[in-house]
Amino acid sequence: MLVFGLLSVLAVLGIMRRMDRFSDAPPDELLGIRVVTYIPWLLWEILKANLDVVRIILHPNLPISPHLITVRTSQKTAVGQVIYANSITLTPGTISLDLRDDTILVHALTSESAAGVKAGEMDRRVSRLEPTD
């Protein structure tokens, strides 16, 4: 299975490289080595959110309080905004519903998860991924 996975990744990279040679579009912004510190942090946040969702599901009263909130993004690039919106969606209990200009509409399962998004830690960490030119 791992060999087939590796072969798939290599095939996709080869196809992408070939597409880049024939594309007139400018290359995407590079995230660089900073992403190495973001991924473990994001995985930890996903684990914590999973445990919160499990706690809610197993609670006899099912204590949910859905919220629709809007959060402003501080990212300068479209790639940064998409990474931020996807990171919100990857975290259980929250879903990015709409991304327009510099605002994301988020559905949160509880007021705690809404407060977590509004706190802005994820936004700050994603902003650090962007090039500083």
Side-chain angles (χ1 to χ4, degrees), residues 40-53:
W41 178 84
L42 179 62
L43 291 173
W44 177 247
E45 292 300 311
I46 290 170
L47 176 68
K48 291 190 314 187
N50 268 305
L51 294 174
D52 285 342
V53 170

Side-chain angles (χ1 to χ4, degrees), residues 57-121:
I57 291 170
L58 295 177
H59 194 280
N61 296 333
L62 194 66
I64 61 171
S65 54
H67 287 71
L68 275 179
I69 59 171
T70 56
V71 291
R72 306 224 14 102
T73 64
S74 61
Q75 293 75 38
K76 306 282 188 265
T77 63
V79 171
Q81 290 178 344
V82 169
I83 290 172
Y84 181 37
N86 285 339
S87 296
I88 290 171
T89 299
L90 283 171
T91 308
T94 55
I95 298 174
S96 299
L97 300 174
D98 190 26
L99 170 60
R100 291 184 194 221
D101 301 321
D102 61 346
T103 305
I104 302 174
L105 178 63
V106 178
H107 178 273
L109 190 60
T110 64
S111 54
E112 292 84 17
S113 57
V117 173
K118 283 186 173 184
E121 179 64 20

